[in-house]
Amino acid sequence: MKQSTETSSSDETNLTLDESRFDVSSKVIHTDRFMTWFIKLGGVLVVAAVVAIFVFITSQVLPLFKGASVDLPGATTTENALPPGDYLGIAADEWMEKPFAVRDDGKIIFADLVNGELTESELDYLEGGNLSTVSIESGEGLIVAGTAAGKVHLVEYSYAPTFKDGVRTVNENLEVVFTGEFEGSIRKVSCGQSGNSRLIAVLTETESGPKLFLDLVQRKKSLISAGDWKEVGKLDLSESLRKGIGVQDIMVTNRADSVLVVFDNGEIDYYFRSGSGLDTELRQTFRPFQDQDIQKIARADFLLGDVSLVLSSDAGVNRIFSLYRSESDPIRKFHQTKEFPPLYDSPAYYSPSFRNKSFLTGTSNTATLRYATTQAIRWESELPWEVSHALISKKSDALLFLTKDLRFVRIPVDDPHPEAGMKAFFGKILYEGSPESKYEWQSTGGSDDFESKLSLIPLIFGTLKGTLYAMLFAVPVALFGAIYTAEFLDPKNKAFIKPAMEIMASLPSVVLGFLAALWLAPVIENRVPSVLCAIILVPLGALLFGTIWSRQPKSIKRHIKEGYEFLYFAPVMLLLLFIGWHLGPLVESILFTVKDSETGTRTGDFSRWWPAITGTAYEQRNSLVVGFMMGFAVIPIVFTIAEDSLSNVPDSLRTGSLALGASRWQCAWTIVLPTASAGILSAIMIGLGRAVGETMIVVMATGNTPIMEWNLFSGMRTLSANIAVELPEAPHHSTLYRTLFLGAVVLFLMTFLVNTVAEVLRQHLREKYKTV
């Protein structure tokens, strides 16, 4: 009994000692708590960083979708009215500080909007009489003045700021550079300049009726001076005028190559001048409002660039006609491209922007600022005064009005992004010079009158195209490689294969892009048939070899250790690759032949055959190159994650299926693959995200042209590549700058959508196979 008690006491002592083993030290507890909160904090910071990035990008994008802000209450009005008289036109300096108005007596009145002073020019060029018409070419700094005495004066004006004692003053300069004489009284004048030539169109009224003249003046420049303007030719176009139909206006383009005559019956004649002389042909006669009850044209004016006409009828209908070549006519002619909501009445004034395709127009007591490309009304309002003339500043930051009570009114304008908008980014637009609406990206051009084309659709298309071809190459290779490594390869060899694939994932994309551009693209350029033969032979050979091997008796299979079949398989594949590569030229000479235009013989040339058959381009740096090299970058990611998912499938499932008589392939295909499908889907989606966001490979390995076609042998431009290429040259906070950030938002949303869909599918697959 005593011995039993001692034993029981000893057991209790041992039990107490065992419990103490599970006591956790305070250091471990504090460390665990710290790491728990540290990990939580890290997760929160990651989420906060992503949200902050998205908020910043969005903040850069939002101004693109704001309309024009016109500060009517902040308008500056001259204290003193201009001297009484009939004012025929206005212009201003680029700072909109010292505008002027031309009076019918030839006087030019300057109004200093800073100090309120009015000054009258001392230039005397009329020699008596009054002006009958004035045309001011603000872009060229030229006043074209016609008189009732039949003279036309070209007056150049310019401004220059000076600084004295810290005070800035804007000084004007006026100079008469040419005077021409014509028969009759001048009714309308217009002038366009091309280099050292100016073409002046003059409409006069004579006793025998109206007459139309074209006057060509030129000057010879030297290193010392610009030379004087001299008349070199005059052409009488009076016979082309309609008898009994008055001429309302005449217009000359800024390139001095075209003349338009607007008639009172609503018709317009379009003349084209070819060469450096006065050889002129009538190219087109059209009636812009022939479908309207009121067809009379109230105003006809050019947009910036003089490729498009802004036309308004007496009823206020506002349309744009642009020059382009149609499929049936190779000659550029005017066709209607845009129509805006009608004005309230016949327009009283018009002014084009000097920076973009905006224009200002309106009735005597209303104003509307419109953007031609997207047919957008940027701003519209009633005015508290009646207007006779209006002008957009050269910096597009102010509007200038000359009111009926002869006061200048300058209104600040904030419209930095008229080119932007949902239609500009995602809609089809009929651009100048194009016969059809299209999606197009072209952010810059070779002239100041370039029309921005900022559609993101070609970039989204290019992103999807590059991703598709990369995934078509990467997914089969990566998945079948992962299945073979996880299910058939010997574990000893797996220890080498897996790290090697992970090292491949660390290769810089710029190195891969460099290899694609300078090595792979030139190699593939003339060996596409070889690539096609290899792509066909290698998979077929693999299937054939696998089928033959699976049907071999065990007496043969036992000579090869399980998991080492690749030692026999690899040489066969290399041999097939070699055969396919060298078989390409033979296949090319048989299937891909074109007729030589010089010899008449047919020769094998895939690079010429493809465009001849499909009508699409064949380029050296194309989608095939991008698919191979970008697929090479995606393969390690998909392979690693998919192999991990396959390896984590419980071995009990494998042994159970094999015990029931399934082959190793049947086990892998019907048991292991479905069970690991959630992880495999995650691998594909992560690889897809890698392909969508790839930049350097696409920049270096494609033509980087934003085109929309699925042609395998043409390039593309992706959203990420576009940001990399354009952002360094984009002016800070410009429309292009913010549009590139919009591209980043679209790329962000595309990735977010892909990940969301992937997560939903992954959860579905996990639920489906969770009981296994």
Side-chain angles (χ1 to χ4, degrees), residues 254 302-308 310 350 352-359 432 448-451:
N254 59 7
F302 284 118
L303 269 180
L304 177 67
D306 291 13
V307 176
S308 296
V310 180
Y350 172 89
S353 169
F354 295 95
R355 290 199 166 195
N356 49 56
K357 301 298 180 179
S358 298
F359 63 93
E432 285 184 340
D448 293 336
D449 55 19
F450 169 75
E451 184 177 31

mmCIF file with all atom_site columns, all heavy atoms in Angstrom, residues 254 302-308 310 350 352-359 432 448-451:
data_model
loop_
_atom_site.group_PDB
_atom_site.id
_atom_site.type_symbol
_atom_site.label_atom_id
_atom_site.label_alt_id
_atom_site.label_comp_id
_atom_site.label_asym_id
_atom_site.label_entity_id
_atom_site.label_seq_id
_atom_site.pdbx_PDB_ins_code
_atom_site.Cartn_x
_atom_site.Cartn_y
_atom_site.Cartn_z
_atom_site.occupancy
_atom_site.B_iso_or_equiv
_atom_site.pdbx_formal_charge
_atom_site.auth_seq_id
_atom_site.auth_comp_id
_atom_site.auth_asym_id
_atom_site.auth_atom_id
_atom_site.pdbx_PDB_model_num
ATOM 1   N N   . ASN A 1 254 ? -4.358  79.813 -95.525 1.00 0.00 ? 254 ASN A N   1
ATOM 2   C CA  . ASN A 1 254 ? -3.069  80.322 -95.037 1.00 0.00 ? 254 ASN A CA  1
ATOM 3   C C   . ASN A 1 254 ? -1.882  79.739 -95.797 1.00 0.00 ? 254 ASN A C   1
ATOM 4   O O   . ASN A 1 254 ? -0.753  80.215 -95.633 1.00 0.00 ? 254 ASN A O   1
ATOM 5   C CB  . ASN A 1 254 ? -2.918  80.042 -93.536 1.00 0.00 ? 254 ASN A CB  1
ATOM 6   C CG  . ASN A 1 254 ? -3.005  78.565 -93.200 1.00 0.00 ? 254 ASN A CG  1
ATOM 7   O OD1 . ASN A 1 254 ? -3.051  77.713 -94.091 1.00 0.00 ? 254 ASN A OD1 1
ATOM 8   N ND2 . ASN A 1 254 ? -3.033  78.251 -91.922 1.00 0.00 ? 254 ASN A ND2 1
ATOM 9   N N   . PHE A 1 302 ? -12.515 79.678 -91.527 1.00 0.00 ? 302 PHE A N   1
ATOM 10  C CA  . PHE A 1 302 ? -11.618 78.538 -91.413 1.00 0.00 ? 302 PHE A CA  1
ATOM 11  C C   . PHE A 1 302 ? -11.342 78.214 -89.947 1.00 0.00 ? 302 PHE A C   1
ATOM 12  O O   . PHE A 1 302 ? -11.270 79.095 -89.090 1.00 0.00 ? 302 PHE A O   1
ATOM 13  C CB  . PHE A 1 302 ? -10.276 78.830 -92.100 1.00 0.00 ? 302 PHE A CB  1
ATOM 14  C CG  . PHE A 1 302 ? -10.325 78.763 -93.596 1.00 0.00 ? 302 PHE A CG  1
ATOM 15  C CD1 . PHE A 1 302 ? -10.034 79.888 -94.351 1.00 0.00 ? 302 PHE A CD1 1
ATOM 16  C CD2 . PHE A 1 302 ? -10.643 77.583 -94.245 1.00 0.00 ? 302 PHE A CD2 1
ATOM 17  C CE1 . PHE A 1 302 ? -10.060 79.839 -95.732 1.00 0.00 ? 302 PHE A CE1 1
ATOM 18  C CE2 . PHE A 1 302 ? -10.676 77.524 -95.633 1.00 0.00 ? 302 PHE A CE2 1
ATOM 19  C CZ  . PHE A 1 302 ? -10.391 78.655 -96.374 1.00 0.00 ? 302 PHE A CZ  1
ATOM 20  N N   . LEU A 1 303 ? -11.156 76.911 -89.698 1.00 0.00 ? 303 LEU A N   1
ATOM 21  C CA  . LEU A 1 303 ? -10.577 76.462 -88.438 1.00 0.00 ? 303 LEU A CA  1
ATOM 22  C C   . LEU A 1 303 ? -9.061  76.606 -88.521 1.00 0.00 ? 303 LEU A C   1
ATOM 23  O O   . LEU A 1 303 ? -8.498  76.803 -89.603 1.00 0.00 ? 303 LEU A O   1
ATOM 24  C CB  . LEU A 1 303 ? -10.910 74.995 -88.180 1.00 0.00 ? 303 LEU A CB  1
ATOM 25  C CG  . LEU A 1 303 ? -12.163 74.639 -87.387 1.00 0.00 ? 303 LEU A CG  1
ATOM 26  C CD1 . LEU A 1 303 ? -12.270 73.135 -87.263 1.00 0.00 ? 303 LEU A CD1 1
ATOM 27  C CD2 . LEU A 1 303 ? -12.166 75.265 -86.001 1.00 0.00 ? 303 LEU A CD2 1
ATOM 28  N N   . LEU A 1 304 ? -8.389  76.482 -87.388 1.00 0.00 ? 304 LEU A N   1
ATOM 29  C CA  . LEU A 1 304 ? -6.932  76.479 -87.375 1.00 0.00 ? 304 LEU A CA  1
ATOM 30  C C   . LEU A 1 304 ? -6.408  75.420 -88.346 1.00 0.00 ? 304 LEU A C   1
ATOM 31  O O   . LEU A 1 304 ? -6.802  74.263 -88.297 1.00 0.00 ? 304 LEU A O   1
ATOM 32  C CB  . LEU A 1 304 ? -6.425  76.165 -85.960 1.00 0.00 ? 304 LEU A CB  1
ATOM 33  C CG  . LEU A 1 304 ? -4.909  76.048 -85.804 1.00 0.00 ? 304 LEU A CG  1
ATOM 34  C CD1 . LEU A 1 304 ? -4.238  77.393 -86.044 1.00 0.00 ? 304 LEU A CD1 1
ATOM 35  C CD2 . LEU A 1 304 ? -4.556  75.491 -84.431 1.00 0.00 ? 304 LEU A CD2 1
ATOM 36  N N   . GLY A 1 305 ? -5.531  75.831 -89.261 1.00 0.00 ? 305 GLY A N   1
ATOM 37  C CA  . GLY A 1 305 ? -4.993  74.928 -90.262 1.00 0.00 ? 305 GLY A CA  1
ATOM 38  C C   . GLY A 1 305 ? -5.620  75.088 -91.626 1.00 0.00 ? 305 GLY A C   1
ATOM 39  O O   . GLY A 1 305 ? -5.062  74.630 -92.625 1.00 0.00 ? 305 GLY A O   1
ATOM 40  N N   . ASP A 1 306 ? -6.792  75.728 -91.677 1.00 0.00 ? 306 ASP A N   1
ATOM 41  C CA  . ASP A 1 306 ? -7.478  76.006 -92.946 1.00 0.00 ? 306 ASP A CA  1
ATOM 42  C C   . ASP A 1 306 ? -7.768  74.754 -93.764 1.00 0.00 ? 306 ASP A C   1
ATOM 43  O O   . ASP A 1 306 ? -7.810  74.799 -94.998 1.00 0.00 ? 306 ASP A O   1
ATOM 44  C CB  . ASP A 1 306 ? -6.662  76.995 -93.787 1.00 0.00 ? 306 ASP A CB  1
ATOM 45  C CG  . ASP A 1 306 ? -6.653  78.390 -93.174 1.00 0.00 ? 306 ASP A CG  1
ATOM 46  O OD1 . ASP A 1 306 ? -7.053  78.511 -92.008 1.00 0.00 ? 306 ASP A OD1 1
ATOM 47  O OD2 . ASP A 1 306 ? -6.235  79.345 -93.847 1.00 0.00 ? 306 ASP A OD2 1
ATOM 48  N N   . VAL A 1 307 ? -7.975  73.635 -93.074 1.00 0.00 ? 307 VAL A N   1
ATOM 49  C CA  . VAL A 1 307 ? -8.394  72.406 -93.747 1.00 0.00 ? 307 VAL A CA  1
ATOM 50  C C   . VAL A 1 307 ? -9.895  72.206 -93.602 1.00 0.00 ? 307 VAL A C   1
ATOM 51  O O   . VAL A 1 307 ? -10.519 71.523 -94.400 1.00 0.00 ? 307 VAL A O   1
ATOM 52  C CB  . VAL A 1 307 ? -7.622  71.190 -93.182 1.00 0.00 ? 307 VAL A CB  1
ATOM 53  C CG1 . VAL A 1 307 ? -8.106  69.884 -93.789 1.00 0.00 ? 307 VAL A CG1 1
ATOM 54  C CG2 . VAL A 1 307 ? -6.126  71.349 -93.422 1.00 0.00 ? 307 VAL A CG2 1
ATOM 55  N N   . SER A 1 308 ? -10.465 72.861 -92.590 1.00 0.00 ? 308 SER A N   1
ATOM 56  C CA  . SER A 1 308 ? -11.893 72.718 -92.319 1.00 0.00 ? 308 SER A CA  1
ATOM 57  C C   . SER A 1 308 ? -12.577 74.079 -92.347 1.00 0.00 ? 308 SER A C   1
ATOM 58  O O   . SER A 1 308 ? -11.993 75.090 -91.918 1.00 0.00 ? 308 SER A O   1
ATOM 59  C CB  . SER A 1 308 ? -12.121 72.061 -90.952 1.00 0.00 ? 308 SER A CB  1
ATOM 60  O OG  . SER A 1 308 ? -11.620 70.743 -90.940 1.00 0.00 ? 308 SER A OG  1
ATOM 61  N N   . VAL A 1 310 ? -15.860 76.258 -91.062 1.00 0.00 ? 310 VAL A N   1
ATOM 62  C CA  . VAL A 1 310 ? -16.975 76.372 -90.120 1.00 0.00 ? 310 VAL A CA  1
ATOM 63  C C   . VAL A 1 310 ? -18.032 77.236 -90.790 1.00 0.00 ? 310 VAL A C   1
ATOM 64  O O   . VAL A 1 310 ? -17.810 78.420 -91.063 1.00 0.00 ? 310 VAL A O   1
ATOM 65  C CB  . VAL A 1 310 ? -16.525 76.995 -88.791 1.00 0.00 ? 310 VAL A CB  1
ATOM 66  C CG1 . VAL A 1 310 ? -17.709 77.098 -87.839 1.00 0.00 ? 310 VAL A CG1 1
ATOM 67  C CG2 . VAL A 1 310 ? -15.412 76.168 -88.168 1.00 0.00 ? 310 VAL A CG2 1
ATOM 68  N N   . TYR A 1 350 ? -17.066 85.514 -85.296 1.00 0.00 ? 350 TYR A N   1
ATOM 69  C CA  . TYR A 1 350 ? -16.380 84.214 -85.280 1.00 0.00 ? 350 TYR A CA  1
ATOM 70  C C   . TYR A 1 350 ? -14.895 84.447 -85.008 1.00 0.00 ? 350 TYR A C   1
ATOM 71  O O   . TYR A 1 350 ? -14.307 85.435 -85.480 1.00 0.00 ? 350 TYR A O   1
ATOM 72  C CB  . TYR A 1 350 ? -16.537 83.488 -86.614 1.00 0.00 ? 350 TYR A CB  1
ATOM 73  C CG  . TYR A 1 350 ? -15.691 82.227 -86.730 1.00 0.00 ? 350 TYR A CG  1
ATOM 74  C CD1 . TYR A 1 350 ? -16.182 81.000 -86.320 1.00 0.00 ? 350 TYR A CD1 1
ATOM 75  C CD2 . TYR A 1 350 ? -14.399 82.288 -87.256 1.00 0.00 ? 350 TYR A CD2 1
ATOM 76  C CE1 . TYR A 1 350 ? -15.403 79.844 -86.421 1.00 0.00 ? 350 TYR A CE1 1
ATOM 77  C CE2 . TYR A 1 350 ? -13.621 81.140 -87.362 1.00 0.00 ? 350 TYR A CE2 1
ATOM 78  C CZ  . TYR A 1 350 ? -14.129 79.929 -86.940 1.00 0.00 ? 350 TYR A CZ  1
ATOM 79  O OH  . TYR A 1 350 ? -13.360 78.795 -87.031 1.00 0.00 ? 350 TYR A OH  1
ATOM 80  N N   . PRO A 1 352 ? -11.326 81.750 -84.544 1.00 0.00 ? 352 PRO A N   1
ATOM 81  C CA  . PRO A 1 352 ? -10.736 80.433 -84.292 1.00 0.00 ? 352 PRO A CA  1
ATOM 82  C C   . PRO A 1 352 ? -9.663  80.517 -83.201 1.00 0.00 ? 352 PRO A C   1
ATOM 83  O O   . PRO A 1 352 ? -9.072  81.575 -82.977 1.00 0.00 ? 352 PRO A O   1
ATOM 84  C CB  . PRO A 1 352 ? -10.099 80.076 -85.643 1.00 0.00 ? 352 PRO A CB  1
ATOM 85  C CG  . PRO A 1 352 ? -9.681  81.405 -86.197 1.00 0.00 ? 352 PRO A CG  1
ATOM 86  C CD  . PRO A 1 352 ? -10.712 82.407 -85.723 1.00 0.00 ? 352 PRO A CD  1
ATOM 87  N N   . SER A 1 353 ? -9.424  79.403 -82.550 1.00 0.00 ? 353 SER A N   1
ATOM 88  C CA  . SER A 1 353 ? -8.313  79.321 -81.604 1.00 0.00 ? 353 SER A CA  1
ATOM 89  C C   . SER A 1 353 ? -7.004  79.195 -82.387 1.00 0.00 ? 353 SER A C   1
ATOM 90  O O   . SER A 1 353 ? -6.980  78.644 -83.490 1.00 0.00 ? 353 SER A O   1
ATOM 91  C CB  . SER A 1 353 ? -8.484  78.116 -80.682 1.00 0.00 ? 353 SER A CB  1
ATOM 92  O OG  . SER A 1 353 ? -7.307  77.869 -79.932 1.00 0.00 ? 353 SER A OG  1
ATOM 93  N N   . PHE A 1 354 ? -5.936  79.719 -81.809 1.00 0.00 ? 354 PHE A N   1
ATOM 94  C CA  . PHE A 1 354 ? -4.626  79.624 -82.445 1.00 0.00 ? 354 PHE A CA  1
ATOM 95  C C   . PHE A 1 354 ? -3.831  78.432 -81.910 1.00 0.00 ? 354 PHE A C   1
ATOM 96  O O   . PHE A 1 354 ? -2.668  78.259 -82.290 1.00 0.00 ? 354 PHE A O   1
ATOM 97  C CB  . PHE A 1 354 ? -3.840  80.917 -82.218 1.00 0.00 ? 354 PHE A CB  1
ATOM 98  C CG  . PHE A 1 354 ? -4.448  82.109 -82.885 1.00 0.00 ? 354 PHE A CG  1
ATOM 99  C CD1 . PHE A 1 354 ? -5.308  82.946 -82.194 1.00 0.00 ? 354 PHE A CD1 1
ATOM 100 C CD2 . PHE A 1 354 ? -4.190  82.382 -84.212 1.00 0.00 ? 354 PHE A CD2 1
ATOM 101 C CE1 . PHE A 1 354 ? -5.888  84.045 -82.813 1.00 0.00 ? 354 PHE A CE1 1
ATOM 102 C CE2 . PHE A 1 354 ? -4.759  83.482 -84.845 1.00 0.00 ? 354 PHE A CE2 1
ATOM 103 C CZ  . PHE A 1 354 ? -5.621  84.311 -84.136 1.00 0.00 ? 354 PHE A CZ  1
ATOM 104 N N   . ARG A 1 355 ? -4.453  77.628 -81.032 1.00 0.00 ? 355 ARG A N   1
ATOM 105 C CA  . ARG A 1 355 ? -3.740  76.508 -80.422 1.00 0.00 ? 355 ARG A CA  1
ATOM 106 C C   . ARG A 1 355 ? -4.371  75.160 -80.718 1.00 0.00 ? 355 ARG A C   1
ATOM 107 O O   . ARG A 1 355 ? -3.698  74.132 -80.662 1.00 0.00 ? 355 ARG A O   1
ATOM 108 C CB  . ARG A 1 355 ? -3.670  76.704 -78.902 1.00 0.00 ? 355 ARG A CB  1
ATOM 109 C CG  . ARG A 1 355 ? -2.765  77.837 -78.491 1.00 0.00 ? 355 ARG A CG  1
ATOM 110 C CD  . ARG A 1 355 ? -2.365  77.717 -77.048 1.00 0.00 ? 355 ARG A CD  1
ATOM 111 N NE  . ARG A 1 355 ? -1.253  78.605 -76.727 1.00 0.00 ? 355 ARG A NE  1
ATOM 112 C CZ  . ARG A 1 355 ? -0.512  78.508 -75.637 1.00 0.00 ? 355 ARG A CZ  1
ATOM 113 N NH1 . ARG A 1 355 ? -0.764  77.550 -74.766 1.00 0.00 ? 355 ARG A NH1 1
ATOM 114 N NH2 . ARG A 1 355 ? 0.476   79.348 -75.413 1.00 0.00 ? 355 ARG A NH2 1
ATOM 115 N N   . ASN A 1 356 ? -5.649  75.123 -80.977 1.00 0.00 ? 356 ASN A N   1
ATOM 116 C CA  . ASN A 1 356 ? -6.331  73.854 -81.193 1.00 0.00 ? 356 ASN A CA  1
ATOM 117 C C   . ASN A 1 356 ? -7.531  74.080 -82.097 1.00 0.00 ? 356 ASN A C   1
ATOM 118 O O   . ASN A 1 356 ? -7.655  75.136 -82.716 1.00 0.00 ? 356 ASN A O   1
ATOM 119 C CB  . ASN A 1 356 ? -6.741  73.228 -79.850 1.00 0.00 ? 356 ASN A CB  1
ATOM 120 C CG  . ASN A 1 356 ? -7.462  74.217 -78.952 1.00 0.00 ? 356 ASN A CG  1
ATOM 121 O OD1 . ASN A 1 356 ? -8.469  74.811 -79.340 1.00 0.00 ? 356 ASN A OD1 1
ATOM 122 N ND2 . ASN A 1 356 ? -6.936  74.425 -77.752 1.00 0.00 ? 356 ASN A ND2 1
ATOM 123 N N   . LYS A 1 357 ? -8.399  73.103 -82.155 1.00 0.00 ? 357 LYS A N   1
ATOM 124 C CA  . LYS A 1 357 ? -9.543  73.168 -83.067 1.00 0.00 ? 357 LYS A CA  1
ATOM 125 C C   . LYS A 1 357 ? -10.788 73.769 -82.411 1.00 0.00 ? 357 LYS A C   1
ATOM 126 O O   . LYS A 1 357 ? -11.910 73.487 -82.812 1.00 0.00 ? 357 LYS A O   1
ATOM 127 C CB  . LYS A 1 357 ? -9.856  71.767 -83.591 1.00 0.00 ? 357 LYS A CB  1
ATOM 128 C CG  . LYS A 1 357 ? -8.695  71.115 -84.340 1.00 0.00 ? 357 LYS A CG  1
ATOM 129 C CD  . LYS A 1 357 ? -8.301  71.878 -85.575 1.00 0.00 ? 357 LYS A CD  1
ATOM 130 C CE  . LYS A 1 357 ? -7.142  71.200 -86.298 1.00 0.00 ? 357 LYS A CE  1
ATOM 131 N NZ  . LYS A 1 357 ? -6.749  71.915 -87.525 1.00 0.00 ? 357 LYS A NZ  1
ATOM 132 N N   . SER A 1 358 ? -10.585 74.630 -81.412 1.00 0.00 ? 358 SER A N   1
ATOM 133 C CA  . SER A 1 358 ? -11.706 75.344 -80.795 1.00 0.00 ? 358 SER A CA  1
ATOM 134 C C   . SER A 1 358 ? -12.056 76.576 -81.634 1.00 0.00 ? 358 SER A C   1
ATOM 135 O O   . SER A 1 358 ? -11.228 77.096 -82.377 1.00 0.00 ? 358 SER A O   1
ATOM 136 C CB  . SER A 1 358 ? -11.355 75.774 -79.370 1.00 0.00 ? 358 SER A CB  1
ATOM 137 O OG  . SER A 1 358 ? -11.091 74.671 -78.550 1.00 0.00 ? 358 SER A OG  1
ATOM 138 N N   . PHE A 1 359 ? -13.278 77.039 -81.470 1.00 0.00 ? 359 PHE A N   1
ATOM 139 C CA  . PHE A 1 359 ? -13.674 78.297 -82.107 1.00 0.00 ? 359 PHE A CA  1
ATOM 140 C C   . PHE A 1 359 ? -14.767 78.962 -81.278 1.00 0.00 ? 359 PHE A C   1
ATOM 141 O O   . PHE A 1 359 ? -15.514 78.302 -80.549 1.00 0.00 ? 359 PHE A O   1
ATOM 142 C CB  . PHE A 1 359 ? -14.131 78.086 -83.550 1.00 0.00 ? 359 PHE A CB  1
ATOM 143 C CG  . PHE A 1 359 ? -15.355 77.223 -83.713 1.00 0.00 ? 359 PHE A CG  1
ATOM 144 C CD1 . PHE A 1 359 ? -16.629 77.782 -83.767 1.00 0.00 ? 359 PHE A CD1 1
ATOM 145 C CD2 . PHE A 1 359 ? -15.243 75.847 -83.824 1.00 0.00 ? 359 PHE A CD2 1
ATOM 146 C CE1 . PHE A 1 359 ? -17.761 76.991 -83.932 1.00 0.00 ? 359 PHE A CE1 1
ATOM 147 C CE2 . PHE A 1 359 ? -16.359 75.043 -83.987 1.00 0.00 ? 359 PHE A CE2 1
ATOM 148 C CZ  . PHE A 1 359 ? -17.625 75.618 -84.040 1.00 0.00 ? 359 PHE A CZ  1
ATOM 149 N N   . GLU A 1 432 ? -9.902  65.296 -89.420 1.00 0.00 ? 432 GLU A N   1
ATOM 150 C CA  . GLU A 1 432 ? -9.607  66.029 -90.649 1.00 0.00 ? 432 GLU A CA  1
ATOM 151 C C   . GLU A 1 432 ? -8.776  65.166 -91.584 1.00 0.00 ? 432 GLU A C   1
ATOM 152 O O   . GLU A 1 432 ? -7.824  64.503 -91.168 1.00 0.00 ? 432 GLU A O   1
ATOM 153 C CB  . GLU A 1 432 ? -8.834  67.312 -90.325 1.00 0.00 ? 432 GLU A CB  1
ATOM 154 C CG  . GLU A 1 432 ? -9.670  68.406 -89.721 1.00 0.00 ? 432 GLU A CG  1
ATOM 155 C CD  . GLU A 1 432 ? -8.885  69.685 -89.521 1.00 0.00 ? 432 GLU A CD  1
ATOM 156 O OE1 . GLU A 1 432 ? -7.646  69.632 -89.497 1.00 0.00 ? 432 GLU A OE1 1
ATOM 157 O OE2 . GLU A 1 432 ? -9.512  70.748 -89.388 1.00 0.00 ? 432 GLU A OE2 1
ATOM 158 N N   . ASP A 1 448 ? 1.874   73.326 -86.090 1.00 0.00 ? 448 ASP A N   1
ATOM 159 C CA  . ASP A 1 448 ? 1.114   73.869 -84.964 1.00 0.00 ? 448 ASP A CA  1
ATOM 160 C C   . ASP A 1 448 ? -0.375  73.632 -85.112 1.00 0.00 ? 448 ASP A C   1
ATOM 161 O O   . ASP A 1 448 ? -1.110  73.677 -84.120 1.00 0.00 ? 448 ASP A O   1
ATOM 162 C CB  . ASP A 1 448 ? 1.381   75.371 -84.832 1.00 0.00 ? 448 ASP A CB  1
ATOM 163 C CG  . ASP A 1 448 ? 2.816   75.660 -84.431 1.00 0.00 ? 448 ASP A CG  1
ATOM 164 O OD1 . ASP A 1 448 ? 3.444   74.771 -83.826 1.00 0.00 ? 448 ASP A OD1 1
ATOM 165 O OD2 . ASP A 1 448 ? 3.311   76.762 -84.729 1.00 0.00 ? 448 ASP A OD2 1
ATOM 166 N N   . ASP A 1 449 ? -0.853  73.415 -86.338 1.00 0.00 ? 449 ASP A N   1
ATOM 167 C CA  . ASP A 1 449 ? -2.288  73.219 -86.539 1.00 0.00 ? 449 ASP A CA  1
ATOM 168 C C   . ASP A 1 449 ? -2.676  71.742 -86.502 1.00 0.00 ? 449 ASP A C   1
ATOM 169 O O   . ASP A 1 449 ? -3.757  71.367 -86.959 1.00 0.00 ? 449 ASP A O   1
ATOM 170 C CB  . ASP A 1 449 ? -2.739  73.839 -87.861 1.00 0.00 ? 449 ASP A CB  1
ATOM 171 C CG  . ASP A 1 449 ? -1.943  73.311 -89.051 1.00 0.00 ? 449 ASP A CG  1
ATOM 172 O OD1 . ASP A 1 449 ? -1.307  72.243 -88.930 1.00 0.00 ? 449 ASP A OD1 1
ATOM 173 O OD2 . ASP A 1 449 ? -1.950  73.965 -90.102 1.00 0.00 ? 449 ASP A OD2 1
ATOM 174 N N   . PHE A 1 450 ? -1.804  70.905 -85.952 1.00 0.00 ? 450 PHE A N   1
ATOM 175 C CA  . PHE A 1 450 ? -2.072  69.469 -85.876 1.00 0.00 ? 450 PHE A CA  1
ATOM 176 C C   . PHE A 1 450 ? -3.306  69.202 -85.018 1.00 0.00 ? 450 PHE A C   1
ATOM 177 O O   . PHE A 1 450 ? -3.516  69.835 -83.981 1.00 0.00 ? 450 PHE A O   1
ATOM 178 C CB  . PHE A 1 450 ? -0.852  68.761 -85.289 1.00 0.00 ? 450 PHE A CB  1
ATOM 179 C CG  . PHE A 1 450 ? -1.097  67.331 -84.920 1.00 0.00 ? 450 PHE A CG  1
ATOM 180 C CD1 . PHE A 1 450 ? -1.180  66.356 -85.896 1.00 0.00 ? 450 PHE A CD1 1
ATOM 181 C CD2 . PHE A 1 450 ? -1.237  66.962 -83.596 1.00 0.00 ? 450 PHE A CD2 1
ATOM 182 C CE1 . PHE A 1 450 ? -1.400  65.043 -85.563 1.00 0.00 ? 450 PHE A CE1 1
ATOM 183 C CE2 . PHE A 1 450 ? -1.458  65.651 -83.246 1.00 0.00 ? 450 PHE A CE2 1
ATOM 184 C CZ  . PHE A 1 450 ? -1.539  64.690 -84.225 1.00 0.00 ? 450 PHE A CZ  1
ATOM 185 N N   . GLU A 1 451 ? -4.110  68.246 -85.461 1.00 0.00 ? 451 GLU A N   1
ATOM 186 C CA  . GLU A 1 451 ? -5.309  67.846 -84.732 1.00 0.00 ? 451 GLU A CA  1
ATOM 187 C C   . GLU A 1 451 ? -4.985  66.633 -83.859 1.00 0.00 ? 451 GLU A C   1
ATOM 188 O O   . GLU A 1 451 ? -4.669  65.556 -84.365 1.00 0.00 ? 451 GLU A O   1
ATOM 189 C CB  . GLU A 1 451 ? -6.436  67.507 -85.707 1.00 0.00 ? 451 GLU A CB  1
ATOM 190 C CG  . GLU A 1 451 ? -7.747  67.163 -85.022 1.00 0.00 ? 451 GLU A CG  1
ATOM 191 C CD  . GLU A 1 451 ? -8.854  66.898 -86.026 1.00 0.00 ? 451 GLU A CD  1
ATOM 192 O OE1 . GLU A 1 451 ? -8.540  66.419 -87.132 1.00 0.00 ? 451 GLU A OE1 1
ATOM 193 O OE2 . GLU A 1 451 ? -10.020 67.177 -85.723 1.00 0.00 ? 451 GLU A OE2 1
#
